[in-house]
Amino acid sequence: MNYEIVCGIETHIELATKTKIFCGCTTEFGGEPNTHCCPVCTGQPGALPILNQKVVEYAIKAGLALNCKINTKSHMDRKNYVYPDLPKAYQISQYDEPLCEKGYIELDSGKRIGITRIHIEEDAGKLIHENGETYIDYNRGGVPLIEIVSEPDISSDEEAREYAEKLQLIMRYIGISDCKMQEGSMRCDVNLSLRKPGDSRFGVRTEIKNINSLSFIQKAIIAEVERQTDILDGGGTIVQQTMRYDEGTNSVSPMRDKENSDDYRYFPDPDILRFSIDDEKVEEIRSSLPELPFDKLKRYVNVLGLPEATAKQIFRYRKVAEFFEGALAEGASVKNTANLIVGTIFSTMETEEEKELFAIRISAAQFAVLVKLADEKKINIGVAQSTLQKMLESGKSVEEFIKPEDLVGISDEVLESLCKEAIDANPKALADVRSGKDKAINTMFGYIMKKTGGKADIRKAEDLLRKLIGQ
Amino acid sequence: MRAGITELATRLRNREISAVELTKAYIDAIEKLNPTLNAYVHLTFDTAMKAARQADQMLKEGDAPLLCGIPMALKDNICTDGLTTTCCSKILQDFKPYYDATVWEKLKSQGAVLLGKTNMDEFAMGSTSETSCYGAPLNPRNTNYVTGGSSGGSAAVVGANLAAYSLGSDTGGSIRQPASFCGVVGLKPTYGAVSRYGLIAYGSSLDQIGPMTNSVKDAAIVFDAIKGGDKRDQTSVEYEYGSSLAECMDRDIKGMRIGVAEEFFSGINPEIKSKIEEAIKLFERNGAVIENISLPALKLALPVYYIIACAEASSNLGRYDGIRYGYRTSSYTSIEDMIVKTRSEGFGDEVKRRIMLGTYVLSSGYYDAYYKKACLIREEINREFYTVFEKCDVLIAPTAPNTAFPLNCKGASPVEMYLSDICTVPVNIAGVPAISVPCGEDAKGLPVGMQIIGRRFGEATILQAAHFYEQSAGKVIGTYEGGVGI
């Protein structure tokens, strides 16, 4: 039988602050084990936490970008539990007064997925199991996190993926995290239950922990829905459990029972005073937000007139969008700028990560000089593309590759005589074109390009050729 | 006769004695008496001699701070870089922090000479110092009696003249009660007036470091040196006390409004009660205005204290798991087994009792009934203190309902022991400052302590009142024969 999926996602995002949430240690990823540590982040006796104000600002930024209400009065709580990588035996987190509440993310369909809350907390260390021994690296301990909890509004694996993807994009855009799922700077837990259509009660839910890629979110949901469906169809009942998704076997299996629900014994952390943020600060943060990605996408299509496919390729990487808009600001045309980025520049980048990083050797201004030459038809697109290639490889400006004399276009008279030459020199191609094999005209283009060193305007040449051939 | 800090400082500056000689004199006295008194648990003579030599250098160069070259002691829950700090618990056996507590950093930079770390109740939990894993320190006034606790060692080293002053910590009376039992002065500053960075936490919202000294003036001098906001402790405050506290104490107390709350006097040993009443009369005779006031929520202070302190302790002590430092059990089969055995073997009974109590009151289903309710009553107690201090400058109360207990008499009855904190805990709950000053002796010759309580950051006023009493009451303070004869 068919069931309705009820799904909510909890997302942990590591904030890109330079220092940890409660001390001055670096948050840099990696490093020799236990070198990015101090008495505070390793929970030494007597050490006390000092809340990093940047963390509060970043979390508010996230809240504003996700349409949340900001709680201007808030505090930190202790969540008590014992685990070897948690040095104080409690995590400093937020319980009943999260910094942000009641926001949403809008899906392409127009459906809104509610954001229940966003709170700040500290990350734990990392256990390393080697040769039958367990070692602990506390470098990650105290790295600031925000936890974004969605409402159980998600009703399909596609929606789940879209939600996570949009969340990632927005967080990257506002610059608070790199959201690298493979490095763990963004991790998702999926809560899922099934119910009969029309049923208003929730079914028993399971939680799939620590999913580390967007496609695994989707796959894990499909696998878990299948597992729960089989149980329910067989007349069984779902056990409330924490599950793990195995990428290798594409299956979901229990991690530990949640029957005895954990008692975290939350209470306000007495070492950190209640804090309040004034409305002006919130407004200051609001005004510092960049144009959000989906607003940008709409503008690219509706105002700039970019085809949606091209717009989507550009807007999703903040640095690319900045580069694109930088070139436009220098006066380059929308169409040529977009096409050269998506065509030529992207062809030098294989992975998403490279596009995300967008480490190129030329500036938007240098790029704009080139685009404008194409815009003004001083060079054709082919020349623009090959010049751009050379610029990207060398980091040098347009002037290095295009000499002033190159910029003088081929005059109409010269082009016409060249076309005549091309026809005379290729009698077979002429016959082919006349007999309907239109592609044969390329031979004549090749002749003209060779003679002009690629500088001829190919459209003008085509018009002339067809006129001369009489077609 | 013992010398105060000012006198020692003068002699050091007049070259009557060098810091090295002074330190040696204390070391000799400690070597002679500490095996009996058990007041010091870790001795740091090597570093003390080094510090003394440096102090002499500073003194020679002139402009040395007042505390330069003066030998002192720290309670064993105050972290010292490279020096053993154990909270007198087996679980922190041989623990050497690699950082200094802010208070020690401040004193060290002024040329203080640390003689050693003093005995205390394990993790500051207790009222007799008998829960120490090193055994109880003995009361220098009568070695058949306890020192009080938890800063028993810090009180004893001052009382026995084995340090010019010491620092203790006070969560529910742990400075004031042993000060009263040993006949010394103990100041519990306003919560936040002194940085807690490097103080191994017991009840974080109640803990405060303070001085234990031979005189009120000395308490003011040491408090002056350790107070102040600290960027490493968010709960600390940079309060502007005006001119030096030690200097403003000689002001007249005429017109000072002194509150006396009946609630502080119920269940108090009559001998103590009459001593305190005599003291109040002395204030009145000298122009103070006595106000009879009431603090009805005070009767709830003790349960509120034990709920909040234990809740925080259960959380603060979770980190002692044998993984990173301190004691680890010798054989185990898994990480869980290691943690369970380490904690079972490493903690004493009183600490375990409070961890369990704290875990219970924070558990889901009990949180609202205990912890949350305790927080609400705490607010009510705060309000009452606030109201009282609108019409009073200070409150006077006994420090403890009894004088020192005989050794080994309270261990069997935790509740009876908890009751001995009844006069001191309300002060910690409200975060206000209080000082205990010697107030005569009982029939057995054991010291009685009087507590003077002030409004938040009202240290100047309570020091002034305490100083006045100390000066006016004459030689009511018995002297201990022994210790340093300087």
Side-chain angles (χ1 to χ4, degrees), chain A residues 39 43-46 50-51 78 80 87 89-90 138 263 265-266 271-273, chain B residues 98-99 196 198-199 204 231-232 234 315-316 318-320 324 359 363-364 367 371:
Chain A
Q44 301 287 312
I50 298 294
L51 181 59
R78 289 187 185 179
N80 294 283
Y90 58 81
Y138 289 107
D263 187 350
R265 306 189 313 279
Y266 282 101
D271 291 329
I272 301 171
L273 299 175
Chain B
Y98 57 98
Y99 42 94
R196 287 184 297 120
L199 171 68
S204 311
K231 62 182 190 336
R232 292 176 298 189
Q234 237 180 32
S315 175
N316 285 330
R319 72 191 69 197
Y320 305 106
R324 292 166 301 280
T359 304
S363 298
S364 65
Y367 182 89
Y371 184 78

mmCIF file of all heavy atoms in Angstrom, chain A residues 39 43-46 50-51 78 80 87 89-90 138 263 265-266 271-273, chain B residues 98-99 196 198-199 204 231-232 234 315-316 318-320 324 359 363-364 367 371:
data_model
loop_
_atom_site.group_PDB
_atom_site.id
_atom_site.type_symbol
_atom_site.label_atom_id
_atom_site.label_comp_id
_atom_site.label_asym_id
_atom_site.label_seq_id
_atom_site.Cartn_x
_atom_site.Cartn_y
_atom_site.Cartn_z
ATOM 1 N N PRO A 39 43.334 25.166 27.062
ATOM 2 C CA PRO A 39 42.581 24.671 28.224
ATOM 3 C C PRO A 39 41.063 24.819 28.065
ATOM 4 O O PRO A 39 40.307 23.983 28.555
ATOM 5 C CB PRO A 39 43.086 25.558 29.367
ATOM 6 C CG PRO A 39 44.452 25.977 28.961
ATOM 7 C CD PRO A 39 44.404 26.113 27.469
ATOM 8 N N GLY A 43 38.346 21.572 27.731
ATOM 9 C CA GLY A 43 37.610 21.418 28.986
ATOM 10 C C GLY A 43 38.491 21.136 30.183
ATOM 11 O O GLY A 43 38.120 20.366 31.059
ATOM 12 N N GLN A 44 39.668 21.760 30.261
ATOM 13 C CA GLN A 44 40.547 21.544 31.412
ATOM 14 C C GLN A 44 39.886 22.113 32.675
ATOM 15 O O GLN A 44 39.137 23.087 32.601
ATOM 16 C CB GLN A 44 41.896 22.241 31.189
ATOM 17 C CG GLN A 44 42.655 21.776 29.958
ATOM 18 C CD GLN A 44 43.252 20.389 30.121
ATOM 19 O OE1 GLN A 44 43.893 20.089 31.112
ATOM 20 N NE2 GLN A 44 43.014 19.524 29.151
ATOM 21 N N PRO A 45 40.201 21.523 33.820
ATOM 22 C CA PRO A 45 39.612 22.029 35.067
ATOM 23 C C PRO A 45 39.935 23.506 35.261
ATOM 24 O O PRO A 45 41.089 23.903 35.094
ATOM 25 C CB PRO A 45 40.304 21.190 36.149
ATOM 26 C CG PRO A 45 40.801 19.966 35.460
ATOM 27 C CD PRO A 45 41.093 20.371 34.046
ATOM 28 N N GLY A 46 38.927 24.290 35.572
ATOM 29 C CA GLY A 46 39.141 25.707 35.846
ATOM 30 C C GLY A 46 39.012 26.623 34.643
ATOM 31 O O GLY A 46 38.899 27.826 34.798
ATOM 32 N N ILE A 50 34.311 31.778 26.730
ATOM 33 C CA ILE A 50 33.925 33.154 26.391
ATOM 34 C C ILE A 50 33.250 33.079 25.021
ATOM 35 O O ILE A 50 33.855 32.644 24.047
ATOM 36 C CB ILE A 50 35.167 34.056 26.289
ATOM 37 C CG1 ILE A 50 35.910 34.128 27.627
ATOM 38 C CG2 ILE A 50 34.788 35.450 25.808
ATOM 39 C CD1 ILE A 50 35.162 34.799 28.736
ATOM 40 N N LEU A 51 31.997 33.494 24.961
ATOM 41 C CA LEU A 51 31.235 33.358 23.714
ATOM 42 C C LEU A 51 31.756 34.316 22.631
ATOM 43 O O LEU A 51 31.835 35.519 22.839
ATOM 44 C CB LEU A 51 29.742 33.610 23.996
ATOM 45 C CG LEU A 51 28.792 33.498 22.818
ATOM 46 C CD1 LEU A 51 28.855 32.110 22.173
ATOM 47 C CD2 LEU A 51 27.361 33.796 23.249
ATOM 48 N N ARG A 78 23.682 23.955 28.921
ATOM 49 C CA ARG A 78 24.552 22.774 28.888
ATOM 50 C C ARG A 78 23.705 21.553 28.557
ATOM 51 O O ARG A 78 22.641 21.359 29.149
ATOM 52 C CB ARG A 78 25.202 22.563 30.251
ATOM 53 C CG ARG A 78 26.245 23.599 30.591
ATOM 54 C CD ARG A 78 26.940 23.189 31.868
ATOM 55 N NE ARG A 78 27.873 24.209 32.309
ATOM 56 C CZ ARG A 78 28.590 24.093 33.432
ATOM 57 N NH1 ARG A 78 28.458 23.005 34.197
ATOM 58 N NH2 ARG A 78 29.428 25.036 33.781
ATOM 59 N N ASN A 80 24.108 17.773 28.876
ATOM 60 C CA ASN A 80 25.017 16.850 29.558
ATOM 61 C C ASN A 80 24.945 15.447 28.983
ATOM 62 O O ASN A 80 23.881 14.826 28.980
ATOM 63 C CB ASN A 80 24.652 16.780 31.046
ATOM 64 C CG ASN A 80 24.897 18.102 31.747
ATOM 65 O OD1 ASN A 80 26.037 18.452 32.054
ATOM 66 N ND2 ASN A 80 23.842 18.877 31.967
ATOM 67 N N PRO A 87 34.961 16.776 25.711
ATOM 68 C CA PRO A 87 35.861 16.851 26.868
ATOM 69 C C PRO A 87 35.217 17.311 28.175
ATOM 70 O O PRO A 87 35.674 16.941 29.234
ATOM 71 C CB PRO A 87 36.947 17.829 26.417
ATOM 72 C CG PRO A 87 36.382 18.563 25.269
ATOM 73 C CD PRO A 87 35.381 17.655 24.615
ATOM 74 N N ALA A 89 32.141 16.689 29.086
ATOM 75 C CA ALA A 89 30.991 15.822 29.375
ATOM 76 C C ALA A 89 29.681 16.601 29.270
ATOM 77 O O ALA A 89 28.652 16.175 29.775
ATOM 78 C CB ALA A 89 31.102 15.117 30.720
ATOM 79 N N TYR A 90 29.761 17.780 28.695
ATOM 80 C CA TYR A 90 28.539 18.462 28.268
ATOM 81 C C TYR A 90 28.888 19.294 27.057
ATOM 82 O O TYR A 90 30.041 19.699 26.878
ATOM 83 C CB TYR A 90 27.924 19.323 29.381
ATOM 84 C CG TYR A 90 28.817 20.398 29.967
ATOM 85 C CD1 TYR A 90 28.991 21.627 29.333
ATOM 86 C CD2 TYR A 90 29.487 20.190 31.170
ATOM 87 C CE1 TYR A 90 29.793 22.614 29.889
ATOM 88 C CE2 TYR A 90 30.294 21.171 31.733
ATOM 89 C CZ TYR A 90 30.441 22.377 31.084
ATOM 90 O OH TYR A 90 31.236 23.351 31.625
ATOM 91 N N TYR A 138 41.251 16.618 19.478
ATOM 92 C CA TYR A 138 40.313 17.664 19.895
ATOM 93 C C TYR A 138 40.404 18.929 19.032
ATOM 94 O O TYR A 138 39.843 19.952 19.398
ATOM 95 C CB TYR A 138 40.542 18.028 21.374
ATOM 96 C CG TYR A 138 40.105 16.940 22.334
ATOM 97 C CD1 TYR A 138 41.027 16.163 23.013
ATOM 98 C CD2 TYR A 138 38.746 16.689 22.545
ATOM 99 C CE1 TYR A 138 40.618 15.163 23.884
ATOM 100 C CE2 TYR A 138 38.335 15.689 23.405
ATOM 101 C CZ TYR A 138 39.272 14.931 24.078
ATOM 102 O OH TYR A 138 38.864 13.947 24.933
ATOM 103 N N ASP A 263 18.564 11.379 28.361
ATOM 104 C CA ASP A 263 18.200 12.480 29.240
ATOM 105 C C ASP A 263 19.407 13.414 29.322
ATOM 106 O O ASP A 263 20.387 13.126 29.979
ATOM 107 C CB ASP A 263 17.833 11.931 30.619
ATOM 108 C CG ASP A 263 17.289 13.021 31.529
ATOM 109 O OD1 ASP A 263 17.383 14.203 31.161
ATOM 110 O OD2 ASP A 263 16.771 12.671 32.598
ATOM 111 N N ARG A 265 19.588 16.409 30.541
ATOM 112 C CA ARG A 265 19.645 17.256 31.736
ATOM 113 C C ARG A 265 20.109 18.685 31.377
ATOM 114 O O ARG A 265 21.057 19.213 31.926
ATOM 115 C CB ARG A 265 20.535 16.629 32.809
ATOM 116 C CG ARG A 265 20.103 15.205 33.146
ATOM 117 C CD ARG A 265 20.820 14.643 34.342
ATOM 118 N NE ARG A 265 22.255 14.845 34.315
ATOM 119 C CZ ARG A 265 23.122 14.107 33.635
ATOM 120 N NH1 ARG A 265 22.695 13.088 32.904
ATOM 121 N NH2 ARG A 265 24.409 14.381 33.669
ATOM 122 N N TYR A 266 19.412 19.257 30.416
ATOM 123 C CA TYR A 266 19.717 20.637 30.010
ATOM 124 C C TYR A 266 19.538 21.598 31.185
ATOM 125 O O TYR A 266 18.591 21.462 31.953
ATOM 126 C CB TYR A 266 18.726 21.093 28.936
ATOM 127 C CG TYR A 266 18.975 20.585 27.555
ATOM 128 C CD1 TYR A 266 18.251 19.520 27.028
ATOM 129 C CD2 TYR A 266 19.912 21.207 26.729
ATOM 130 C CE1 TYR A 266 18.451 19.080 25.726
ATOM 131 C CE2 TYR A 266 20.121 20.776 25.431
ATOM 132 C CZ TYR A 266 19.387 19.718 24.939
ATOM 133 O OH TYR A 266 19.590 19.307 23.650
ATOM 134 N N ASP A 271 28.330 29.641 33.356
ATOM 135 C CA ASP A 271 29.570 30.345 33.024
ATOM 136 C C ASP A 271 29.364 31.415 31.954
ATOM 137 O O ASP A 271 30.252 32.229 31.718
ATOM 138 C CB ASP A 271 30.625 29.351 32.516
ATOM 139 C CG ASP A 271 31.117 28.444 33.629
ATOM 140 O OD1 ASP A 271 31.151 28.885 34.787
ATOM 141 O OD2 ASP A 271 31.456 27.283 33.328
ATOM 142 N N ILE A 272 28.229 31.357 31.266
ATOM 143 C CA ILE A 272 27.996 32.323 30.182
ATOM 144 C C ILE A 272 26.743 33.116 30.508
ATOM 145 O O ILE A 272 25.665 32.556 30.688
ATOM 146 C CB ILE A 272 27.827 31.595 28.834
ATOM 147 C CG1 ILE A 272 29.085 30.771 28.548
ATOM 148 C CG2 ILE A 272 27.564 32.578 27.709
ATOM 149 C CD1 ILE A 272 28.950 29.857 27.367
ATOM 150 N N LEU A 273 26.899 34.416 30.591
ATOM 151 C CA LEU A 273 25.762 35.249 30.960
ATOM 152 C C LEU A 273 24.731 35.267 29.834
ATOM 153 O O LEU A 273 25.069 35.091 28.663
ATOM 154 C CB LEU A 273 26.242 36.676 31.236
ATOM 155 C CG LEU A 273 27.254 36.828 32.371
ATOM 156 C CD1 LEU A 273 27.719 38.271 32.451
ATOM 157 C CD2 LEU A 273 26.646 36.396 33.699
ATOM 158 N N TYR B 98 48.627 23.374 32.988
ATOM 159 C CA TYR B 98 49.638 24.120 32.244
ATOM 160 C C TYR B 98 49.184 25.569 32.056
ATOM 161 O O TYR B 98 49.501 26.224 31.074
ATOM 162 C CB TYR B 98 49.973 23.445 30.906
ATOM 163 C CG TYR B 98 48.808 23.227 29.979
ATOM 164 C CD1 TYR B 98 48.545 24.125 28.941
ATOM 165 C CD2 TYR B 98 47.964 22.132 30.123
ATOM 166 C CE1 TYR B 98 47.481 23.939 28.097
ATOM 167 C CE2 TYR B 98 46.900 21.936 29.284
ATOM 168 C CZ TYR B 98 46.657 22.839 28.272
ATOM 169 O OH TYR B 98 45.576 22.650 27.445
ATOM 170 N N TYR B 99 48.409 26.038 33.040
ATOM 171 C CA TYR B 99 47.922 27.426 32.999
ATOM 172 C C TYR B 99 47.748 27.889 34.438
ATOM 173 O O TYR B 99 47.585 27.083 35.344
ATOM 174 C CB TYR B 99 46.582 27.511 32.255
ATOM 175 C CG TYR B 99 45.637 26.380 32.619
ATOM 176 C CD1 TYR B 99 44.687 26.517 33.619
ATOM 177 C CD2 TYR B 99 45.754 25.143 31.984
ATOM 178 C CE1 TYR B 99 43.871 25.461 33.978
ATOM 179 C CE2 TYR B 99 44.941 24.086 32.337
ATOM 180 C CZ TYR B 99 44.005 24.244 33.332
ATOM 181 O OH TYR B 99 43.211 23.188 33.695
ATOM 182 N N ARG B 196 37.048 33.864 38.210
ATOM 183 C CA ARG B 196 37.052 32.449 38.563
ATOM 184 C C ARG B 196 37.920 31.643 37.599
ATOM 185 O O ARG B 196 37.994 30.421 37.706
ATOM 186 C CB ARG B 196 35.633 31.884 38.513
ATOM 187 C CG ARG B 196 34.731 32.325 39.646
ATOM 188 C CD ARG B 196 33.375 31.634 39.552
ATOM 189 N NE ARG B 196 32.665 31.998 38.348
ATOM 190 C CZ ARG B 196 32.290 31.128 37.406
ATOM 191 N NH1 ARG B 196 32.529 29.848 37.540
ATOM 192 N NH2 ARG B 196 31.652 31.553 36.327
ATOM 193 N N GLY B 198 40.492 29.497 36.226
ATOM 194 C CA GLY B 198 41.507 28.684 36.891
ATOM 195 C C GLY B 198 41.093 28.152 38.252
ATOM 196 O O GLY B 198 41.841 27.413 38.877
ATOM 197 N N LEU B 199 39.908 28.533 38.696
ATOM 198 C CA LEU B 199 39.363 27.924 39.920
ATOM 199 C C LEU B 199 38.594 26.681 39.474
ATOM 200 O O LEU B 199 37.656 26.779 38.680
ATOM 201 C CB LEU B 199 38.401 28.885 40.624
ATOM 202 C CG LEU B 199 37.603 28.274 41.790
ATOM 203 C CD1 LEU B 199 38.516 27.936 42.970
ATOM 204 C CD2 LEU B 199 36.477 29.197 42.236
ATOM 205 N N SER B 204 29.282 26.640 39.751
ATOM 206 C CA SER B 204 29.790 27.804 39.011
ATOM 207 C C SER B 204 29.059 29.106 39.303
ATOM 208 O O SER B 204 29.672 30.167 39.253
ATOM 209 C CB SER B 204 29.718 27.530 37.513
ATOM 210 O OG SER B 204 30.278 26.285 37.225
ATOM 211 N N LYS B 231 39.000 39.066 30.998
ATOM 212 C CA LYS B 231 38.427 38.694 29.710
ATOM 213 C C LYS B 231 38.271 37.181 29.563
ATOM 214 O O LYS B 231 37.612 36.709 28.648
ATOM 215 C CB LYS B 231 39.239 39.292 28.563
ATOM 216 C CG LYS B 231 40.672 38.826 28.500
ATOM 217 C CD LYS B 231 41.382 39.535 27.339
ATOM 218 C CE LYS B 231 42.754 39.004 26.988
ATOM 219 N NZ LYS B 231 43.525 38.299 27.971
ATOM 220 N N ARG B 232 38.866 36.419 30.480
ATOM 221 C CA ARG B 232 38.708 34.965 30.412
ATOM 222 C C ARG B 232 37.551 34.441 31.259
ATOM 223 O O ARG B 232 37.296 33.246 31.294
ATOM 224 C CB ARG B 232 40.024 34.287 30.845
ATOM 225 C CG ARG B 232 41.148 34.532 29.850
ATOM 226 C CD ARG B 232 42.439 33.939 30.328
ATOM 227 N NE ARG B 232 42.869 34.556 31.577
ATOM 228 C CZ ARG B 232 44.062 34.334 32.126
ATOM 229 N NH1 ARG B 232 44.909 33.512 31.556
ATOM 230 N NH2 ARG B 232 44.397 34.927 33.253
ATOM 231 N N GLN B 234 33.620 35.458 31.706
ATOM 232 C CA GLN B 234 32.527 36.332 31.288
ATOM 233 C C GLN B 234 31.678 36.818 32.447
ATOM 234 O O GLN B 234 30.988 37.824 32.342
ATOM 235 C CB GLN B 234 31.627 35.558 30.323
ATOM 236 C CG GLN B 234 31.504 36.253 29.003
ATOM 237 C CD GLN B 234 30.607 35.504 28.043
ATOM 238 O OE1 GLN B 234 29.648 34.848 28.411
ATOM 239 N NE2 GLN B 234 30.936 35.608 26.774
ATOM 240 N N SER B 315 27.292 18.467 36.673
ATOM 241 C CA SER B 315 27.712 18.804 35.314
ATOM 242 C C SER B 315 29.216 19.121 35.267
ATOM 243 O O SER B 315 29.944 18.619 34.406
ATOM 244 C CB SER B 315 26.882 19.992 34.837
ATOM 245 O OG SER B 315 27.307 20.447 33.598
ATOM 246 N N ASN B 316 29.690 19.915 36.227
ATOM 247 C CA ASN B 316 31.105 20.308 36.239
ATOM 248 C C ASN B 316 32.049 19.125 36.436
ATOM 249 O O ASN B 316 33.193 19.153 35.979
ATOM 250 C CB ASN B 316 31.363 21.315 37.363
ATOM 251 C CG ASN B 316 30.836 22.702 37.030
ATOM 252 O OD1 ASN B 316 30.791 23.079 35.866
ATOM 253 N ND2 ASN B 316 30.421 23.442 38.035
ATOM 254 N N GLY B 318 31.575 16.047 35.428
ATOM 255 C CA GLY B 318 31.451 15.000 34.410
ATOM 256 C C GLY B 318 32.743 14.778 33.645
ATOM 257 O O GLY B 318 32.990 13.709 33.098
ATOM 258 N N ARG B 319 33.604 15.806 33.620
ATOM 259 C CA ARG B 319 34.818 15.753 32.803
ATOM 260 C C ARG B 319 35.896 14.854 33.406
ATOM 261 O O ARG B 319 36.876 14.553 32.741
ATOM 262 C CB ARG B 319 35.355 17.160 32.578
ATOM 263 C CG ARG B 319 35.988 17.789 33.799
ATOM 264 C CD ARG B 319 36.254 19.267 33.593
ATOM 265 N NE ARG B 319 35.002 20.031 33.539
ATOM 266 C CZ ARG B 319 34.910 21.265 33.063
ATOM 267 N NH1 ARG B 319 35.959 21.862 32.581
ATOM 268 N NH2 ARG B 319 33.748 21.888 33.055
ATOM 269 N N TYR B 320 35.742 14.471 34.657
ATOM 270 C CA TYR B 320 36.774 13.628 35.268
ATOM 271 C C TYR B 320 36.492 12.174 34.917
ATOM 272 O O TYR B 320 35.747 11.484 35.601
ATOM 273 C CB TYR B 320 36.841 13.887 36.785
ATOM 274 C CG TYR B 320 37.047 15.349 37.040
ATOM 275 C CD1 TYR B 320 36.030 16.164 37.506
ATOM 276 C CD2 TYR B 320 38.264 15.952 36.712
ATOM 277 C CE1 TYR B 320 36.207 17.529 37.659
ATOM 278 C CE2 TYR B 320 38.458 17.307 36.856
ATOM 279 C CZ TYR B 320 37.426 18.095 37.333
ATOM 280 O OH TYR B 320 37.613 19.444 37.459
ATOM 281 N N ARG B 324 41.894 12.283 29.929
ATOM 282 C CA ARG B 324 42.892 13.302 29.589
ATOM 283 C C ARG B 324 43.914 13.594 30.680
ATOM 284 O O ARG B 324 45.016 14.034 30.385
ATOM 285 C CB ARG B 324 42.191 14.615 29.210
ATOM 286 C CG ARG B 324 41.427 14.551 27.923
ATOM 287 C CD ARG B 324 40.486 15.735 27.771
ATOM 288 N NE ARG B 324 39.526 15.796 28.862
ATOM 289 C CZ ARG B 324 38.436 15.057 28.930
ATOM 290 N NH1 ARG B 324 38.146 14.227 27.962
ATOM 291 N NH2 ARG B 324 37.624 15.143 29.960
ATOM 292 N N THR B 359 22.411 15.113 39.592
ATOM 293 C CA THR B 359 21.918 14.427 38.398
ATOM 294 C C THR B 359 20.412 14.207 38.523
ATOM 295 O O THR B 359 19.661 14.405 37.564
ATOM 296 C CB THR B 359 22.650 13.079 38.238
ATOM 297 O OG1 THR B 359 24.047 13.336 38.210
ATOM 298 C CG2 THR B 359 22.245 12.381 36.949
ATOM 299 N N SER B 363 17.225 15.762 36.162
ATOM 300 C CA SER B 363 16.649 14.761 35.259
ATOM 301 C C SER B 363 15.267 15.177 34.782
ATOM 302 O O SER B 363 14.527 15.845 35.496
ATOM 303 C CB SER B 363 16.531 13.414 35.981
ATOM 304 O OG SER B 363 17.796 12.974 36.346
ATOM 305 N N SER B 364 14.948 14.720 33.564
ATOM 306 C CA SER B 364 13.640 15.082 33.025
ATOM 307 C C SER B 364 12.582 14.450 33.928
ATOM 308 O O SER B 364 12.732 13.341 34.418
ATOM 309 C CB SER B 364 13.494 14.589 31.594
ATOM 310 O OG SER B 364 13.504 13.201 31.563
ATOM 311 N N TYR B 367 13.143 18.045 36.893
ATOM 312 C CA TYR B 367 13.718 19.377 36.674
ATOM 313 C C TYR B 367 12.795 20.484 37.180
ATOM 314 O O TYR B 367 13.204 21.356 37.938
ATOM 315 C CB TYR B 367 13.999 19.546 35.178
ATOM 316 C CG TYR B 367 14.632 20.856 34.799
ATOM 317 C CD1 TYR B 367 16.013 20.996 34.783
ATOM 318 C CD2 TYR B 367 13.851 21.958 34.440
ATOM 319 C CE1 TYR B 367 16.610 22.192 34.431
ATOM 320 C CE2 TYR B 367 14.435 23.158 34.087
ATOM 321 C CZ TYR B 367 15.810 23.278 34.079
ATOM 322 O OH TYR B 367 16.393 24.466 33.736
ATOM 323 N N TYR B 371 15.011 21.738 40.254
ATOM 324 C CA TYR B 371 15.956 22.757 39.783
ATOM 325 C C TYR B 371 15.253 24.070 39.439
ATOM 326 O O TYR B 371 15.647 25.149 39.879
ATOM 327 C CB TYR B 371 16.756 22.248 38.585
ATOM 328 C CG TYR B 371 17.795 23.235 38.143
ATOM 329 C CD1 TYR B 371 18.995 23.363 38.843
ATOM 330 C CD2 TYR B 371 17.569 24.076 37.061
ATOM 331 C CE1 TYR B 371 19.946 24.297 38.472
ATOM 332 C CE2 TYR B 371 18.510 25.015 36.690
ATOM 333 C CZ TYR B 371 19.700 25.125 37.390
ATOM 334 O OH TYR B 371 20.622 26.048 37.027
#
